[in-house]
Structure formats: C-alpha cells, structure tokens
Amino acid sequence: YASCSIRHKCDGCRMKVEVYGGYHSPWVQAVLLALHDADVEHRVRQVPPFEAVKQWGVLMPAVSIDDGPWQIESSQILGKLGWGSISDEDLQAVKTAWQGVLHRPDNPFRFFAAFARAGDNSPSLLTRSMRNFARSFIPLYMFVLINFAKLTMKPAEPKDFADQYFYWERLLESSTGSFIDGESPGIRDLMLFGVVQCHSSIPTPPLQPLQQDDRLPGMRQWIACMHERFSGYPHLYSGGHFEPRMA
C-alpha cells in the first residue's frame, strides 16, 4: 500500500520536509495528512519562503523535501512522497467537490477568526509574533480575492451541492475496502479528505449534504473511517461535524 511504501522510505533515509501553507487549504491538508499517516517529521510555516514568493506568490502548499527546490502542485508532491499518481478524471472530481468554497467569506468575522486560530506555533515569542504579523496579510488577500472573483465572474452554483459527491459515492460502493483506494487510504482519499477539511474548517453550504443527504451514506461511512485512521491528526476540522467526533 502507498502508506507502507512511504514509511519504508522514510525509515531508511529520514527525509526532511518543510511545508508552507495554511490549514484551511484542502491541498495543504492533503500533504499534511500524508506526512502524518507516514509519521514523517516535518515543519509547517505560515509565511511563504522568499524563493516560492518570487515564482508563485502566496500559492500553497509549497513544499521542500531534503532542502530541495520548492514545489507547489499537491498531487505531484504526494507522488514524490510515495503516494503514487492520480488520474486527470479523479483530480477533476476532487476539484469539483470543492464547489462552494467561495462562500467561506460570507461571514467575515468567522472567516478571519478561523485564520487567527490557526496561527504560527513557534516556541519563540518573537518569531511567533513576527510570523503571525506577516501572515495576517494572507487571509486579507484571500478575502479580497474571493469577493472580487464573486463580483466579477459571478460563478454559477450547482442546484444541489450533493451532486459534487456522487462520483465518490459510486467509487466507494465499488471499493474493495473501507477507503476509496481499498484497504488503506491512497492519494484520492487524501485529496478528497483535504476538501472535506476545507468545507469543515469554515463551514460552507456543501457541508450540509455531507452531513444529512440520504443519498450519501458511503461518504459518511468513509469519513468515519478516515476519522479513525487520522484520530491523532491535530488539524481534523471535520471532527466537529461528523461521527465519530474528534476534538
């Protein structure tokens, strides 16, 4: 299984991983979930490295493995961490399941409060203060960007947010195990679960069908299995919305 291959690799070389990104990003979540599952030691930074800013601005995640060059495409990062690849069709289905993200800043107080709670955790007060000051501009930038996109692009919303999960519901019905990729989570599980964390961290309308729609029992059972698998993961926002409940 993918999780076994990365453990074996890391036990042999103890790779060093540095991650830039906020916990509210589904793609950052996917990478952090992979590192947690494989018990890979890593450092998370809330302020983007200068090298990454020069190329991509504040796009996240940005990941450096063993002091190598920074990378930003989460599916490719997961591949380099030993989790294989994801088809274009499945990747598009993951992105489709992200519909509704533009509702995150509907409540500005809740939006900024959520980002404030996910601040830097450096043991140094000075370092922590400096990083939190610098990172305060990122949620402001995201808030303005999302609202600008809503005003100018006026994206059409689906009639039913449950529709974006039916692709995965069908895959779970045909799975040979408790996860999309079988007996153990794979890259598709990680990326989709990252989306679930995004919808849960600042609750958006797509969260409700996941919780209540009678047509999605497989998704809720899958979330329960992921909760058990990642019970020690410290950024499990879905733990407050789905069974089994996690702190």
Side-chain angles (χ1 to χ4, degrees), residues 1-3 26-27 29-31 33-34 37 78 83 85-86 90 94 168 171-172 175 177-197 218-219 221-223 225-227 229-230:
Y1 302 118
S3 54
W27 324 123
Q29 282 276 358
V31 171
L33 286 161
D37 194 59
L78 290 171
W83 290 83
S85 61
I86 184 171
D90 287 337
V94 170
W168 300 107
L171 284 184
L172 285 164
S175 174
S178 300
F179 304 97
I180 297 169
D181 283 318
E183 294 295 332
S184 296
I187 186 170
R188 296 182 295 179
D189 295 278
L190 295 176
M191 296 198 75
L192 184 61
F193 201 48
V195 170
V196 173
Q197 301 316 305
M219 284 291 296
Q221 179 59 37
W222 168 76
I223 290 172
C225 291
M226 292 294 280
H227 276 191
R229 177 78 176 211
F230 293 95

mmCIF file of all heavy atoms in Angstrom, residues 1-3 26-27 29-31 33-34 37 78 83 85-86 90 94 168 171-172 175 177-197 218-219 221-223 225-227 229-230:
data_model
loop_
_atom_site.group_PDB
_atom_site.id
_atom_site.type_symbol
_atom_site.label_atom_id
_atom_site.label_comp_id
_atom_site.label_asym_id
_atom_site.label_seq_id
_atom_site.Cartn_x
_atom_site.Cartn_y
_atom_site.Cartn_z
ATOM 1 N N TYR A 1 0.834 -1.206 0.000
ATOM 2 C CA TYR A 1 0.000 0.000 0.000
ATOM 3 C C TYR A 1 0.867 1.254 0.000
ATOM 4 O O TYR A 1 2.014 1.225 0.449
ATOM 5 C CB TYR A 1 -0.925 -0.006 1.224
ATOM 6 C CG TYR A 1 -1.806 -1.207 1.281
ATOM 7 C CD1 TYR A 1 -1.709 -2.102 2.338
ATOM 8 C CD2 TYR A 1 -2.710 -1.471 0.258
ATOM 9 C CE1 TYR A 1 -2.510 -3.220 2.387
ATOM 10 C CE2 TYR A 1 -3.513 -2.585 0.303
ATOM 11 C CZ TYR A 1 -3.418 -3.466 1.360
ATOM 12 O OH TYR A 1 -4.203 -4.575 1.395
ATOM 13 N N ALA A 2 0.297 2.357 -0.425
ATOM 14 C CA ALA A 2 1.070 3.604 -0.517
ATOM 15 C C ALA A 2 1.639 4.007 0.837
ATOM 16 O O ALA A 2 2.776 4.425 0.955
ATOM 17 C CB ALA A 2 0.188 4.725 -1.079
ATOM 18 N N SER A 3 0.823 3.871 1.894
ATOM 19 C CA SER A 3 1.276 4.292 3.210
ATOM 20 C C SER A 3 2.461 3.459 3.682
ATOM 21 O O SER A 3 3.311 3.934 4.409
ATOM 22 C CB SER A 3 0.129 4.211 4.219
ATOM 23 O OG SER A 3 -0.443 2.916 4.220
ATOM 24 N N PRO A 26 -7.354 22.889 1.233
ATOM 25 C CA PRO A 26 -7.509 21.441 1.053
ATOM 26 C C PRO A 26 -6.245 20.773 0.555
ATOM 27 O O PRO A 26 -5.970 19.614 0.878
ATOM 28 C CB PRO A 26 -8.642 21.332 0.019
ATOM 29 C CG PRO A 26 -8.612 22.626 -0.718
ATOM 30 C CD PRO A 26 -8.206 23.653 0.296
ATOM 31 N N TRP A 27 -5.458 21.493 -0.235
ATOM 32 C CA TRP A 27 -4.255 20.907 -0.818
ATOM 33 C C TRP A 27 -3.137 20.837 0.212
ATOM 34 O O TRP A 27 -2.352 19.869 0.213
ATOM 35 C CB TRP A 27 -3.843 21.709 -2.048
ATOM 36 C CG TRP A 27 -5.029 22.216 -2.827
ATOM 37 C CD1 TRP A 27 -5.322 23.512 -3.141
ATOM 38 C CD2 TRP A 27 -6.124 21.436 -3.356
ATOM 39 N NE1 TRP A 27 -6.507 23.584 -3.828
ATOM 40 C CE2 TRP A 27 -7.034 22.350 -3.978
ATOM 41 C CE3 TRP A 27 -6.436 20.086 -3.356
ATOM 42 C CZ2 TRP A 27 -8.205 21.931 -4.596
ATOM 43 C CZ3 TRP A 27 -7.609 19.654 -3.963
ATOM 44 C CH2 TRP A 27 -8.470 20.562 -4.575
ATOM 45 N N GLN A 29 -3.813 20.471 3.395
ATOM 46 C CA GLN A 29 -4.315 19.391 4.245
ATOM 47 C C GLN A 29 -3.936 18.022 3.677
ATOM 48 O O GLN A 29 -3.519 17.133 4.425
ATOM 49 C CB GLN A 29 -5.836 19.497 4.380
ATOM 50 C CG GLN A 29 -6.308 20.559 5.345
ATOM 51 C CD GLN A 29 -6.318 20.055 6.786
ATOM 52 O OE1 GLN A 29 -6.015 18.915 7.068
ATOM 53 N NE2 GLN A 29 -6.688 20.932 7.701
ATOM 54 N N ALA A 30 -4.072 17.848 2.372
ATOM 55 C CA ALA A 30 -3.746 16.555 1.767
ATOM 56 C C ALA A 30 -2.288 16.184 2.023
ATOM 57 O O ALA A 30 -1.976 15.034 2.366
ATOM 58 C CB ALA A 30 -4.038 16.592 0.266
ATOM 59 N N VAL A 31 -1.398 17.147 1.878
ATOM 60 C CA VAL A 31 0.030 16.894 2.102
ATOM 61 C C VAL A 31 0.300 16.597 3.576
ATOM 62 O O VAL A 31 1.017 15.649 3.915
ATOM 63 C CB VAL A 31 0.869 18.093 1.628
ATOM 64 C CG1 VAL A 31 2.321 17.945 2.055
ATOM 65 C CG2 VAL A 31 0.776 18.242 0.106
ATOM 66 N N LEU A 33 -1.796 15.443 5.813
ATOM 67 C CA LEU A 33 -2.378 14.144 6.148
ATOM 68 C C LEU A 33 -1.444 13.011 5.733
ATOM 69 O O LEU A 33 -1.260 12.035 6.472
ATOM 70 C CB LEU A 33 -3.736 13.978 5.463
ATOM 71 C CG LEU A 33 -4.888 14.792 6.052
ATOM 72 C CD1 LEU A 33 -6.033 14.905 5.047
ATOM 73 C CD2 LEU A 33 -5.388 14.172 7.357
ATOM 74 N N ALA A 34 -0.834 13.152 4.552
ATOM 75 C CA ALA A 34 0.103 12.128 4.076
ATOM 76 C C ALA A 34 1.316 12.031 4.992
ATOM 77 O O ALA A 34 1.757 10.929 5.359
ATOM 78 C CB ALA A 34 0.544 12.458 2.647
ATOM 79 N N ASP A 37 0.251 10.400 8.299
ATOM 80 C CA ASP A 37 -0.013 8.964 8.190
ATOM 81 C C ASP A 37 1.280 8.162 8.106
ATOM 82 O O ASP A 37 1.362 7.044 8.619
ATOM 83 C CB ASP A 37 -0.874 8.689 6.953
ATOM 84 C CG ASP A 37 -1.459 7.295 6.959
ATOM 85 O OD1 ASP A 37 -2.198 6.966 7.908
ATOM 86 O OD2 ASP A 37 -1.173 6.514 6.033
ATOM 87 N N LEU A 78 2.583 14.754 -3.481
ATOM 88 C CA LEU A 78 2.196 13.471 -2.900
ATOM 89 C C LEU A 78 2.839 12.311 -3.646
ATOM 90 O O LEU A 78 3.241 11.311 -3.036
ATOM 91 C CB LEU A 78 0.668 13.328 -2.929
ATOM 92 C CG LEU A 78 -0.090 14.251 -1.966
ATOM 93 C CD1 LEU A 78 -1.584 14.198 -2.238
ATOM 94 C CD2 LEU A 78 0.186 13.878 -0.519
ATOM 95 N N TRP A 83 3.098 8.397 -2.737
ATOM 96 C CA TRP A 83 1.675 8.071 -2.767
ATOM 97 C C TRP A 83 1.135 7.824 -4.167
ATOM 98 O O TRP A 83 -0.079 7.801 -4.377
ATOM 99 C CB TRP A 83 0.874 9.183 -2.081
ATOM 100 C CG TRP A 83 1.104 9.209 -0.608
ATOM 101 C CD1 TRP A 83 2.136 9.794 0.056
ATOM 102 C CD2 TRP A 83 0.302 8.576 0.394
ATOM 103 N NE1 TRP A 83 2.023 9.570 1.409
ATOM 104 C CE2 TRP A 83 0.905 8.821 1.647
ATOM 105 C CE3 TRP A 83 -0.872 7.819 0.353
ATOM 106 C CZ2 TRP A 83 0.387 8.345 2.844
ATOM 107 C CZ3 TRP A 83 -1.397 7.346 1.549
ATOM 108 C CH2 TRP A 83 -0.772 7.616 2.767
ATOM 109 N N SER A 85 0.160 8.267 -8.209
ATOM 110 C CA SER A 85 -0.405 9.333 -9.033
ATOM 111 C C SER A 85 -1.925 9.273 -9.000
ATOM 112 O O SER A 85 -2.524 8.310 -8.514
ATOM 113 C CB SER A 85 0.089 9.202 -10.477
ATOM 114 O OG SER A 85 -0.312 7.956 -11.031
ATOM 115 N N ILE A 86 -2.538 10.334 -9.527
ATOM 116 C CA ILE A 86 -3.990 10.413 -9.608
ATOM 117 C C ILE A 86 -4.350 10.760 -11.040
ATOM 118 O O ILE A 86 -3.677 11.573 -11.681
ATOM 119 C CB ILE A 86 -4.537 11.465 -8.613
ATOM 120 C CG1 ILE A 86 -6.069 11.497 -8.620
ATOM 121 C CG2 ILE A 86 -3.959 12.843 -8.876
ATOM 122 C CD1 ILE A 86 -6.668 12.352 -7.505
ATOM 123 N N ASP A 90 -10.014 11.764 -11.926
ATOM 124 C CA ASP A 90 -10.183 11.788 -10.470
ATOM 125 C C ASP A 90 -9.780 13.141 -9.888
ATOM 126 O O ASP A 90 -10.422 13.648 -8.965
ATOM 127 C CB ASP A 90 -9.353 10.686 -9.817
ATOM 128 C CG ASP A 90 -9.935 9.299 -10.048
ATOM 129 O OD1 ASP A 90 -11.145 9.206 -10.302
ATOM 130 O OD2 ASP A 90 -9.177 8.317 -9.975
ATOM 131 N N VAL A 94 -12.061 15.687 -7.659
ATOM 132 C CA VAL A 94 -11.676 16.282 -6.375
ATOM 133 C C VAL A 94 -11.944 17.782 -6.405
ATOM 134 O O VAL A 94 -12.533 18.350 -5.471
ATOM 135 C CB VAL A 94 -10.189 16.022 -6.066
ATOM 136 C CG1 VAL A 94 -9.741 16.843 -4.864
ATOM 137 C CG2 VAL A 94 -9.947 14.543 -5.797
ATOM 138 N N TRP A 168 -17.810 10.181 -6.038
ATOM 139 C CA TRP A 168 -17.079 9.478 -4.991
ATOM 140 C C TRP A 168 -17.950 8.453 -4.286
ATOM 141 O O TRP A 168 -17.457 7.401 -3.869
ATOM 142 C CB TRP A 168 -16.516 10.486 -3.999
ATOM 143 C CG TRP A 168 -15.589 11.437 -4.674
ATOM 144 C CD1 TRP A 168 -15.809 12.752 -4.974
ATOM 145 C CD2 TRP A 168 -14.295 11.130 -5.196
ATOM 146 N NE1 TRP A 168 -14.733 13.284 -5.633
ATOM 147 C CE2 TRP A 168 -13.783 12.311 -5.784
ATOM 148 C CE3 TRP A 168 -13.509 9.967 -5.208
ATOM 149 C CZ2 TRP A 168 -12.534 12.357 -6.392
ATOM 150 C CZ3 TRP A 168 -12.258 10.015 -5.811
ATOM 151 C CH2 TRP A 168 -11.782 11.200 -6.397
ATOM 152 N N LEU A 171 -17.691 5.393 -6.402
ATOM 153 C CA LEU A 171 -16.395 4.733 -6.243
ATOM 154 C C LEU A 171 -16.312 3.979 -4.916
ATOM 155 O O LEU A 171 -15.743 2.888 -4.843
ATOM 156 C CB LEU A 171 -15.256 5.747 -6.334
ATOM 157 C CG LEU A 171 -14.898 6.271 -7.727
ATOM 158 C CD1 LEU A 171 -13.689 7.199 -7.651
ATOM 159 C CD2 LEU A 171 -14.605 5.131 -8.691
ATOM 160 N N LEU A 172 -16.877 4.551 -3.875
ATOM 161 C CA LEU A 172 -16.867 3.884 -2.574
ATOM 162 C C LEU A 172 -17.714 2.621 -2.600
ATOM 163 O O LEU A 172 -17.380 1.617 -1.961
ATOM 164 C CB LEU A 172 -17.366 4.842 -1.494
ATOM 165 C CG LEU A 172 -16.359 5.924 -1.077
ATOM 166 C CD1 LEU A 172 -17.050 7.054 -0.317
ATOM 167 C CD2 LEU A 172 -15.237 5.322 -0.242
ATOM 168 N N SER A 175 -15.551 -0.011 -4.074
ATOM 169 C CA SER A 175 -14.250 -0.227 -3.455
ATOM 170 C C SER A 175 -14.180 -1.586 -2.767
ATOM 171 O O SER A 175 -15.178 -2.086 -2.232
ATOM 172 C CB SER A 175 -13.954 0.881 -2.439
ATOM 173 O OG SER A 175 -12.758 0.618 -1.729
ATOM 174 N N GLY A 177 -12.377 -2.059 -0.125
ATOM 175 C CA GLY A 177 -12.061 -1.813 1.277
ATOM 176 C C GLY A 177 -12.862 -0.650 1.824
ATOM 177 O O GLY A 177 -13.849 -0.216 1.231
ATOM 178 N N SER A 178 -12.431 -0.139 2.942
ATOM 179 C CA SER A 178 -13.135 0.951 3.612
ATOM 180 C C SER A 178 -12.818 2.317 3.016
ATOM 181 O O SER A 178 -13.477 3.299 3.352
ATOM 182 C CB SER A 178 -12.771 0.971 5.104
ATOM 183 O OG SER A 178 -13.124 -0.248 5.720
ATOM 184 N N PHE A 179 -11.801 2.361 2.153
ATOM 185 C CA PHE A 179 -11.355 3.628 1.587
ATOM 186 C C PHE A 179 -11.541 3.623 0.076
ATOM 187 O O PHE A 179 -11.771 2.573 -0.530
ATOM 188 C CB PHE A 179 -9.894 3.875 1.967
ATOM 189 C CG PHE A 179 -9.647 3.841 3.447
ATOM 190 C CD1 PHE A 179 -9.175 2.685 4.063
ATOM 191 C CD2 PHE A 179 -9.924 4.952 4.232
ATOM 192 C CE1 PHE A 179 -8.958 2.642 5.430
ATOM 193 C CE2 PHE A 179 -9.717 4.915 5.611
ATOM 194 C CZ PHE A 179 -9.238 3.760 6.205
ATOM 195 N N ILE A 180 -11.425 4.780 -0.527
ATOM 196 C CA ILE A 180 -11.577 4.874 -1.974
ATOM 197 C C ILE A 180 -10.553 3.993 -2.668
ATOM 198 O O ILE A 180 -10.856 3.314 -3.654
ATOM 199 C CB ILE A 180 -11.430 6.335 -2.436
ATOM 200 C CG1 ILE A 180 -12.536 7.201 -1.830
ATOM 201 C CG2 ILE A 180 -11.472 6.428 -3.965
ATOM 202 C CD1 ILE A 180 -12.326 8.698 -1.999
ATOM 203 N N ASP A 181 -9.332 3.980 -2.149
ATOM 204 C CA ASP A 181 -8.256 3.207 -2.766
ATOM 205 C C ASP A 181 -8.086 1.820 -2.154
ATOM 206 O O ASP A 181 -7.049 1.187 -2.339
ATOM 207 C CB ASP A 181 -6.950 3.995 -2.693
ATOM 208 C CG ASP A 181 -6.892 5.100 -3.732
ATOM 209 O OD1 ASP A 181 -7.308 4.849 -4.884
ATOM 210 O OD2 ASP A 181 -6.459 6.218 -3.413
ATOM 211 N N GLY A 182 -9.083 1.339 -1.426
ATOM 212 C CA GLY A 182 -9.036 -0.038 -0.938
ATOM 213 C C GLY A 182 -8.932 -0.148 0.562
ATOM 214 O O GLY A 182 -9.600 0.557 1.309
ATOM 215 N N GLU A 183 -8.065 -1.042 1.016
ATOM 216 C CA GLU A 183 -7.945 -1.327 2.440
ATOM 217 C C GLU A 183 -7.206 -0.221 3.201
ATOM 218 O O GLU A 183 -7.343 -0.113 4.417
ATOM 219 C CB GLU A 183 -7.215 -2.660 2.648
ATOM 220 C CG GLU A 183 -7.977 -3.881 2.149
ATOM 221 C CD GLU A 183 -9.261 -4.114 2.921
ATOM 222 O OE1 GLU A 183 -9.322 -3.730 4.106
ATOM 223 O OE2 GLU A 183 -10.213 -4.673 2.354
ATOM 224 N N SER A 184 -6.410 0.553 2.500
ATOM 225 C CA SER A 184 -5.681 1.670 3.113
ATOM 226 C C SER A 184 -5.931 2.929 2.299
ATOM 227 O O SER A 184 -6.189 2.849 1.095
ATOM 228 C CB SER A 184 -4.172 1.387 3.160
ATOM 229 O OG SER A 184 -3.885 0.282 3.985
ATOM 230 N N PRO A 185 -5.862 4.106 2.930
ATOM 231 C CA PRO A 185 -6.048 5.344 2.168
ATOM 232 C C PRO A 185 -4.975 5.502 1.102
ATOM 233 O O PRO A 185 -3.820 5.117 1.297
ATOM 234 C CB PRO A 185 -5.913 6.444 3.234
ATOM 235 C CG PRO A 185 -6.107 5.755 4.542
ATOM 236 C CD PRO A 185 -5.618 4.359 4.352
ATOM 237 N N GLY A 186 -5.376 6.059 -0.035
ATOM 238 C CA GLY A 186 -4.442 6.373 -1.116
ATOM 239 C C GLY A 186 -4.500 7.851 -1.425
ATOM 240 O O GLY A 186 -5.105 8.643 -0.696
ATOM 241 N N ILE A 187 -3.910 8.230 -2.525
ATOM 242 C CA ILE A 187 -3.831 9.642 -2.877
ATOM 243 C C ILE A 187 -5.208 10.260 -3.069
ATOM 244 O O ILE A 187 -5.445 11.403 -2.701
ATOM 245 C CB ILE A 187 -2.947 9.840 -4.138
ATOM 246 C CG1 ILE A 187 -2.733 11.329 -4.412
ATOM 247 C CG2 ILE A 187 -3.530 9.120 -5.342
ATOM 248 C CD1 ILE A 187 -1.695 11.604 -5.487
ATOM 249 N N ARG A 188 -6.170 9.480 -3.600
ATOM 250 C CA ARG A 188 -7.512 10.036 -3.788
ATOM 251 C C ARG A 188 -8.194 10.287 -2.455
ATOM 252 O O ARG A 188 -8.889 11.293 -2.275
ATOM 253 C CB ARG A 188 -8.349 9.096 -4.658
ATOM 254 C CG ARG A 188 -7.814 8.943 -6.077
ATOM 255 C CD ARG A 188 -8.681 8.051 -6.913
ATOM 256 N NE ARG A 188 -8.699 6.672 -6.427
ATOM 257 C CZ ARG A 188 -9.406 5.689 -6.979
ATOM 258 N NH1 ARG A 188 -10.177 5.926 -8.029
ATOM 259 N NH2 ARG A 188 -9.345 4.466 -6.488
ATOM 260 N N ASP A 189 -7.993 9.378 -1.498
ATOM 261 C CA ASP A 189 -8.550 9.581 -0.159
ATOM 262 C C ASP A 189 -7.986 10.846 0.478
ATOM 263 O O ASP A 189 -8.731 11.636 1.080
ATOM 264 C CB ASP A 189 -8.225 8.371 0.731
ATOM 265 C CG ASP A 189 -8.892 7.098 0.277
ATOM 266 O OD1 ASP A 189 -10.070 6.888 0.602
ATOM 267 O OD2 ASP A 189 -8.221 6.307 -0.423
ATOM 268 N N LEU A 190 -6.685 11.031 0.354
ATOM 269 C CA LEU A 190 -6.039 12.191 0.979
ATOM 270 C C LEU A 190 -6.544 13.500 0.381
ATOM 271 O O LEU A 190 -6.856 14.447 1.116
ATOM 272 C CB LEU A 190 -4.525 12.097 0.810
ATOM 273 C CG LEU A 190 -3.818 10.939 1.514
ATOM 274 C CD1 LEU A 190 -2.340 10.935 1.155
ATOM 275 C CD2 LEU A 190 -3.999 11.013 3.023
ATOM 276 N N MET A 191 -6.633 13.551 -0.940
ATOM 277 C CA MET A 191 -7.023 14.804 -1.579
ATOM 278 C C MET A 191 -8.492 15.126 -1.322
ATOM 279 O O MET A 191 -8.851 16.277 -1.057
ATOM 280 C CB MET A 191 -6.721 14.735 -3.075
ATOM 281 C CG MET A 191 -5.227 14.592 -3.366
ATOM 282 S SD MET A 191 -4.749 15.001 -5.056
ATOM 283 C CE MET A 191 -4.867 16.795 -5.000
ATOM 284 N N LEU A 192 -9.362 14.118 -1.381
ATOM 285 C CA LEU A 192 -10.772 14.371 -1.112
ATOM 286 C C LEU A 192 -10.996 14.724 0.355
ATOM 287 O O LEU A 192 -11.799 15.606 0.683
ATOM 288 C CB LEU A 192 -11.611 13.156 -1.489
ATOM 289 C CG LEU A 192 -13.128 13.326 -1.335
ATOM 290 C CD1 LEU A 192 -13.647 14.442 -2.240
ATOM 291 C CD2 LEU A 192 -13.856 12.023 -1.640
ATOM 292 N N PHE A 193 -10.268 14.072 1.256
ATOM 293 C CA PHE A 193 -10.411 14.377 2.681
ATOM 294 C C PHE A 193 -9.906 15.782 2.977
ATOM 295 O O PHE A 193 -10.400 16.456 3.881
ATOM 296 C CB PHE A 193 -9.651 13.346 3.512
ATOM 297 C CG PHE A 193 -10.123 13.246 4.939
ATOM 298 C CD1 PHE A 193 -11.473 13.145 5.247
ATOM 299 C CD2 PHE A 193 -9.214 13.249 5.987
ATOM 300 C CE1 PHE A 193 -11.909 13.044 6.568
ATOM 301 C CE2 PHE A 193 -9.632 13.142 7.307
ATOM 302 C CZ PHE A 193 -10.982 13.046 7.597
ATOM 303 N N GLY A 194 -8.922 16.236 2.208
ATOM 304 C CA GLY A 194 -8.485 17.619 2.336
ATOM 305 C C GLY A 194 -9.597 18.589 2.000
ATOM 306 O O GLY A 194 -9.783 19.615 2.670
ATOM 307 N N VAL A 195 -10.385 18.263 0.976
ATOM 308 C CA VAL A 195 -11.543 19.092 0.608
ATOM 309 C C VAL A 195 -12.572 19.095 1.732
ATOM 310 O O VAL A 195 -13.160 20.129 2.058
ATOM 311 C CB VAL A 195 -12.161 18.595 -0.709
ATOM 312 C CG1 VAL A 195 -13.494 19.290 -0.974
ATOM 313 C CG2 VAL A 195 -11.210 18.837 -1.876
ATOM 314 N N VAL A 196 -12.792 17.936 2.343
ATOM 315 C CA VAL A 196 -13.740 17.849 3.458
ATOM 316 C C VAL A 196 -13.273 18.742 4.613
ATOM 317 O O VAL A 196 -14.089 19.422 5.258
ATOM 318 C CB VAL A 196 -13.904 16.388 3.935
ATOM 319 C CG1 VAL A 196 -14.753 16.311 5.206
ATOM 320 C CG2 VAL A 196 -14.544 15.536 2.837
ATOM 321 N N GLN A 197 -11.971 18.763 4.871
ATOM 322 C CA GLN A 197 -11.454 19.637 5.925
ATOM 323 C C GLN A 197 -11.683 21.106 5.583
ATOM 324 O O GLN A 197 -12.000 21.921 6.454
ATOM 325 C CB GLN A 197 -9.957 19.391 6.146
ATOM 326 C CG GLN A 197 -9.589 17.970 6.543
ATOM 327 C CD GLN A 197 -10.505 17.401 7.599
ATOM 328 O OE1 GLN A 197 -10.691 17.992 8.672
ATOM 329 N NE2 GLN A 197 -11.116 16.266 7.310
ATOM 330 N N GLY A 218 -22.338 6.327 1.925
ATOM 331 C CA GLY A 218 -20.967 5.865 1.751
ATOM 332 C C GLY A 218 -19.949 6.937 2.106
ATOM 333 O O GLY A 218 -18.903 6.643 2.695
ATOM 334 N N MET A 219 -20.264 8.164 1.758
ATOM 335 C CA MET A 219 -19.357 9.263 2.088
ATOM 336 C C MET A 219 -19.228 9.428 3.594
ATOM 337 O O MET A 219 -18.123 9.632 4.123
ATOM 338 C CB MET A 219 -19.859 10.564 1.457
ATOM 339 C CG MET A 219 -19.624 10.685 -0.037
ATOM 340 S SD MET A 219 -17.874 10.859 -0.489
ATOM 341 C CE MET A 219 -17.458 12.439 0.261
ATOM 342 N N GLN A 221 -19.747 7.124 5.901
ATOM 343 C CA GLN A 221 -19.023 5.978 6.440
ATOM 344 C C GLN A 221 -17.522 6.116 6.160
ATOM 345 O O GLN A 221 -16.680 5.806 7.011
ATOM 346 C CB GLN A 221 -19.548 4.684 5.828
ATOM 347 C CG GLN A 221 -18.842 3.421 6.303
ATOM 348 C CD GLN A 221 -18.932 3.232 7.813
ATOM 349 O OE1 GLN A 221 -19.951 3.537 8.426
ATOM 350 N NE2 GLN A 221 -17.852 2.735 8.415
ATOM 351 N N TRP A 222 -17.196 6.609 4.981
ATOM 352 C CA TRP A 222 -15.791 6.835 4.624
ATOM 353 C C TRP A 222 -15.164 7.886 5.542
ATOM 354 O O TRP A 222 -14.030 7.709 6.010
ATOM 355 C CB TRP A 222 -15.708 7.268 3.163
ATOM 356 C CG TRP A 222 -14.377 7.791 2.741
ATOM 357 C CD1 TRP A 222 -13.236 7.071 2.476
ATOM 358 C CD2 TRP A 222 -14.025 9.167 2.516
ATOM 359 N NE1 TRP A 222 -12.203 7.914 2.100
ATOM 360 C CE2 TRP A 222 -12.670 9.207 2.110
ATOM 361 C CE3 TRP A 222 -14.735 10.360 2.601
ATOM 362 C CZ2 TRP A 222 -12.012 10.398 1.815
ATOM 363 C CZ3 TRP A 222 -14.083 11.552 2.296
ATOM 364 C CH2 TRP A 222 -12.740 11.556 1.912
ATOM 365 N N ILE A 223 -15.885 8.963 5.819
ATOM 366 C CA ILE A 223 -15.375 9.997 6.725
ATOM 367 C C ILE A 223 -15.127 9.404 8.112
ATOM 368 O O ILE A 223 -14.122 9.702 8.764
ATOM 369 C CB ILE A 223 -16.346 11.191 6.795
ATOM 370 C CG1 ILE A 223 -16.343 11.954 5.468
ATOM 371 C CG2 ILE A 223 -15.974 12.140 7.942
ATOM 372 C CD1 ILE A 223 -17.401 13.036 5.374
ATOM 373 N N CYS A 225 -14.325 6.324 8.781
ATOM 374 C CA CYS A 225 -13.108 5.513 8.695
ATOM 375 C C CYS A 225 -11.866 6.391 8.657
ATOM 376 O O CYS A 225 -10.835 6.066 9.271
ATOM 377 C CB CYS A 225 -13.156 4.622 7.453
ATOM 378 S SG CYS A 225 -14.387 3.307 7.520
ATOM 379 N N MET A 226 -11.947 7.519 7.958
ATOM 380 C CA MET A 226 -10.815 8.441 7.923
ATOM 381 C C MET A 226 -10.583 9.061 9.298
ATOM 382 O O MET A 226 -9.431 9.279 9.704
ATOM 383 C CB MET A 226 -11.064 9.524 6.868
ATOM 384 C CG MET A 226 -11.052 9.025 5.423
ATOM 385 S SD MET A 226 -9.438 8.430 4.863
ATOM 386 C CE MET A 226 -8.596 9.975 4.481
ATOM 387 N N HIS A 227 -11.656 9.311 10.037
ATOM 388 C CA HIS A 227 -11.505 9.837 11.398
ATOM 389 C C HIS A 227 -10.746 8.845 12.271
ATOM 390 O O HIS A 227 -9.872 9.231 13.063
ATOM 391 C CB HIS A 227 -12.875 10.119 12.007
ATOM 392 C CG HIS A 227 -13.427 11.457 11.621
ATOM 393 N ND1 HIS A 227 -14.534 12.006 12.224
ATOM 394 C CD2 HIS A 227 -13.028 12.362 10.689
ATOM 395 C CE1 HIS A 227 -14.786 13.183 11.678
ATOM 396 N NE2 HIS A 227 -13.882 13.414 10.749
ATOM 397 N N ARG A 229 -8.686 6.521 11.236
ATOM 398 C CA ARG A 229 -7.318 6.417 10.727
ATOM 399 C C ARG A 229 -6.467 7.601 11.182
ATOM 400 O O ARG A 229 -5.284 7.444 11.522
ATOM 401 C CB ARG A 229 -7.364 6.360 9.195
ATOM 402 C CG ARG A 229 -6.000 6.331 8.516
ATOM 403 C CD ARG A 229 -5.385 4.952 8.573
ATOM 404 N NE ARG A 229 -4.125 4.888 7.858
ATOM 405 C CZ ARG A 229 -3.670 3.802 7.246
ATOM 406 N NH1 ARG A 229 -4.377 2.681 7.267
ATOM 407 N NH2 ARG A 229 -2.508 3.813 6.623
ATOM 408 N N PHE A 230 -7.065 8.809 11.195
ATOM 409 C CA PHE A 230 -6.327 10.023 11.489
ATOM 410 C C PHE A 230 -6.727 10.619 12.839
ATOM 411 O O PHE A 230 -6.726 11.838 13.012
ATOM 412 C CB PHE A 230 -6.530 11.043 10.371
ATOM 413 C CG PHE A 230 -5.909 10.634 9.064
ATOM 414 C CD1 PHE A 230 -6.660 9.985 8.099
ATOM 415 C CD2 PHE A 230 -4.572 10.861 8.823
ATOM 416 C CE1 PHE A 230 -6.092 9.594 6.890
ATOM 417 C CE2 PHE A 230 -3.982 10.474 7.624
ATOM 418 C CZ PHE A 230 -4.745 9.832 6.658
#
